[in-house]
Amino acid sequence: MSNRVPLSVLDLAPASEGLGRKAALDDSLTLAVEAEDTGYYRYWMAEHHGSQTFMSSATALLLGRAAEHTSTIRLGSGGVMLPNHSPLMVAEYYGTLATIYGERFDLGLGRAPGTDPITAAALRRGSADLNDFAGDIARLVSYLSPSPVNSDNRLSGAEAAALGIQPSPSHIHRHVRAIPGEGTRVPLWMLGSSTGGAQVAASLGLPFSFASHFAPKYLGQALATYRAYFQANPDTAQVEQPHTMAGVNVLVAPTQSEADELFTSYQLMKARLRRGAAGPLGRPQPTHTIDRTKQSLDPTAFVGPPDRVVDAIDEMVESYELDEVIVTSYAWDPQLRRRSYRLLAQAWNA
């Protein structure tokens, strides 16, 4: 297929059994560099907290590290779980990244906690109610927009605090500003795994990325909702017409048999999580140890040699009229995980 849609990487910095947490973070950096070299359009990281499997809790820090070693690929969150954070702090973090590294950052926003309820409470998590969430996005947009304060040199209070000065309240301005951040206009995306996120994206005029790599059942319904109710004129709007991305879980190897075996690490991880057990990604197992019926019915993954996976993604793009695709891949061996991405990119761009 010619003129394929952009293909991007979603990374959760998975830890592998026996290799350690630092190795997982170092591998994510290597993956970001290779993603740029092999022609991926975006490299996004997803926020998770308290996980023994995924090391991507401090996404802004990891993306800053990736920015130091890349120059052209778009970097971003896929996403920041906004109820976990103050919109002002998100604007400051990503505004700082945009100020340092320029206009290649994206800010994908989700309303799930990305963790368990106890950890969410420890994060001082706010409300994920749709109305509250939409209000937080509106505030975030305002913080990233140029400041409405013109030539206002009054104190924010930060300058005085840094020098131990007690200014008169009349000298402190009343306007909240994200510095650096204001004026960077970091592009926003709405993420979702249900029609709720689609409704928010449509009402705010945001591009929409659906988590079909783990929730494929609702992809068609969510995209239909988003397109039907999309509004291009809110103050928060980022695009003039609906713009969609969908996630795909892939495992690409030279042969089907090798891909199937490497994919067992992911299958065993899912099975372990269903039993309430956590831990790093395990070594692959012989495929005969896995329930083949469940394997063949897994709708969240395209597994096989490059051409077969590319054909499956092409069919998905056509069926759902997607504008972009973002892929994630799990393999116990970091080199084989990167090979999966590399083989896919070579076939996709051929």
Side-chain angles (χ1 to χ4, degrees):
M1 177 185 289
S2 61
N3 299 319
R4 286 194 169 100
V5 301
L7 191 67
S8 299
V9 169
L10 176 63
D11 185 17
L12 283 70
S16 293
E17 187 178 75
L19 300 184
R21 295 172 178 176
K22 184 177 186 302
L25 297 176
D26 289 345
D27 176 61
S28 285
L29 175 60
T30 304
L31 176 60
V33 174
E34 291 193 7
E36 179 174 86
D37 292 343
T38 51
Y40 283 96
Y41 185 50
R42 308 179 195 270
Y43 171 84
W44 281 8
M45 299 199 78
E47 172 189 336
H48 291 80
H49 298 277
S51 171
Q52 298 183 53
T53 310
F54 308 121
M55 301 296 105
S56 54
S57 57
T59 50
L61 290 177
L62 297 176
L63 290 168
R65 189 186 188 201
E68 288 287 340
H69 294 82
T70 58
S71 58
T72 58
I73 193 169
R74 295 198 64 82
L75 302 169
S77 63
V80 164
M81 301 297 106
L82 192 53
N84 292 341
H85 309 279
S86 154
L88 175 61
M89 185 162 286
V90 174
E92 289 176 340
Y93 279 20
Y94 282 84
T96 297
L97 290 171
T99 300
I100 296 172
Y101 301 108
E103 298 178 357
R104 61 186 180 107
F105 273 87
D106 305 314
L107 185 47
L109 303 170
R111 64 188 180 95
T115 189
D116 57 87
I118 295 175
T119 306
L123 288 165
R124 302 178 184 271
R125 182 171 179 260
S127 171
D129 177 85
L130 286 177
N131 291 330
D132 293 341
F133 182 66
D136 280 348
I137 293 177
R139 281 186 284 277
L140 181 56
V141 169
S142 72
Y143 293 146
L144 293 171
S145 300
S147 173
V149 180
N150 295 319
S151 302
D152 185 355
N153 292 322
R154 288 188 295 171
L155 297 173
S156 68
E159 298 92 340
L163 299 178
I165 297 171
Q166 296 293 327
S168 167
S170 63
H171 294 161
I172 299 177
H173 67 67
R174 307 294 187 201
H175 182 70
V176 177
R177 300 173 68 179
I179 301 175
E182 64 181 24
T184 58
R185 298 187 186 276
V186 178
L188 305 186
W189 282 74
M190 180 66 211
L191 312 184
S193 57
S194 68
T195 56
Q199 293 169 3
V200 174
S203 65
L204 298 181
L206 303 178
F208 181 50
S209 181
F210 189 81
S212 43
H213 56 294
F214 66 79
K217 180 179 179 180
Y218 302 105
L219 174 60
Q221 185 179 358
L223 293 183
T225 298
Y226 171 63
R227 289 165 175 150
Y229 295 101
F230 180 83
Q231 300 179 40
N233 55 0
D235 292 339
T236 53
Q238 306 277 300
V239 288
E240 295 180 354
Q241 59 187 15
H243 189 92
T244 60
M245 178 194 292
V248 181
N249 185 11
V250 303
L251 199 295
V252 184
T255 66
Q256 185 68 51
S257 60
E258 183 184 1
D260 285 341
E261 182 165 326
L262 294 175
F263 188 61
T264 61
S265 293
Y266 172 77
Q267 293 173 298
L268 293 169
M269 176 181 68
K270 286 184 67 175
R272 187 177 66 240
L273 291 173
R274 289 194 182 101
R275 297 194 303 270
L281 200 63
R283 295 174 183 271
Q285 303 296 316
T287 54
H288 70 265
T289 65
I290 304 297
D291 187 331
R292 298 291 295 184
T293 301
K294 290 183 179 179
Q295 181 176 1
S296 63
L297 294 176
D298 190 338
T300 67
F302 297 151
V303 179
D307 291 347
R308 180 173 179 178
V309 173
V310 164
D311 287 345
I313 297 176
D314 275 339
E315 182 177 346
M316 180 179 177
V317 169
E318 184 174 357
S319 296
Y320 293 101
E321 299 180 354
L322 300 173
D323 298 299
E324 301 188 33
V325 172
I326 190 164
V327 298
T328 190
S329 188
Y330 298 97
W332 174 83
D333 186 333
Q335 294 187 48
L336 297 182
R337 182 171 83 115
R338 295 197 302 271
R339 184 188 68 175
S340 175
Y341 285 112
R342 184 169 62 252
L343 290 173
L344 177 60
Q346 290 169 349
W348 188 258
N349 296 322

